[in-house]
Amino acid sequence: MKILLNNTSLIESLRPFNDLGFVPTMGGIHKGHLSLINKSNKFCKKTIVSIFINPKQFNNKRDLKSYPRNIKKDLKILKKSKKVDFVYLPKFNDIYQNKKKPKIKLIKKDKILCAKFRKGHFEGVLDVMNRLTKIVNPRKIFMGEKDFQQLYLVKKLLEKNYKTKVIPCKTIRDNNKVALSSRNYLLNKYNLATAANVFKKLQNIKKKITNNKNISNFLRFEKNKLRNNYKIKIDYLELRNINNLKPSNKKKNSRLFIAYYLNNVRLIDNI
Ligand code: AMP
């Protein structure tokens, strides 16, 4: 596993390879990241993982400050997996040396779910993914369905502008079905127990959806119940079509999306 600390060494090391699988991360490596790496390893000749906490996608300074960082541990896990050929650890200037202002703007119909509650977040994500794709030039990028809206927006942008394919990967969960996330490192065991209960409720809510229901009233009611039962702040609980993320009123081709806070940590999930 070769560690690439800047763009010069990246360009030099990647030159011989044209079948690259890329797994972009912000570190805090867990089994969710490893599942993306495994898939890349299966489908591509070489796998490169990046670890870069992109300040431009954080709409909240406190969130950026508290974001889990443990590069030593991350490198140890990645090395042990034996599935990673390159780890790219860029500095801010490696990514943003091209100072051209990003032209990336969300269209109105995409300003939903997290885009509505985290102003500027996806503009930051799309900008960094555009820059990373230009620098790494991978054949495939592996991204998790846990961050479904991110996957949807990045896939739409990159596949329009590059030959790179964005490959969706299933959400990996812990034993209590809580979606793995680097932010879970910031939760205590009570928070994690609540997250497990919220997941169970989500499953129940999805089960109760029938095609003849007034879905938005039903979800508003269930959202209030969740909020009161678990004393959590909920940004949204919405059923949306998986192909275009439009509001949906039937279970087929739809997912139930939630964003909520535990211990001031914002968690997202979709089922
Ligand atoms: P992050 O480090 O949180 O920015 O995530 C890097 C990549 O890993 C993104 O494509 C995420 O969607 C993906 N990812 C994060 N958590 C999970 C999970 N529990 N299961 C599958 N993929 C995940």
Side-chain angles (χ1 to χ4, degrees), residues 35-68:
S35 76
L36 273 51
I37 291 167
N38 280 337
K39 201 157 171 179
S40 169
N41 202 263
K42 220 189 246 165
F43 287 102
C44 304
K45 284 225 172 76
K46 296 282 172 192
T47 290
I48 175 166
V49 175
S50 66
I51 300 179
F52 178 62
I53 299 181
N54 174 33
K56 299 207 177 195
Q57 71 187 66
F58 284 81
N59 54 316
N60 176 328
K61 280 206 181 97
R62 207 176 50 191
D63 185 23
L64 172 61
K65 215 171 149 211
S66 66
Y67 199 85

Side-chain angles (χ1 to χ4, degrees), residues 24-26 30 32-33 36 67 143-144 146-147 170-172 180:
T25 82
M26 297 207 298
H30 52 69
H33 298 123
L36 273 51
Y67 199 85
M143 298 186 74
K146 199 212 105 207
D147 304 279
K170 296 250 159 306
T171 300
I172 305 299
L180 295 184

Side-chain angles (χ1 to χ4, degrees), residues 16 18 23 40 50 63 65 88 108 113 115 135 139 157 169 183 204-205 212 230 249 255 265 269:
N18 60 8
V23 179
S40 169
S50 66
D63 185 23
K65 215 171 149 211
Y88 176 42
K108 197 168 162 227
L113 302 172
I135 298 169
R139 187 168 283 175
L157 175 80
C169 304
R183 286 193 168 89
N204 285 339
I205 294 169
N212 54 7
Y230 297 107
N249 53 18
R255 280 179 185 242
V265 178
D269 201 353

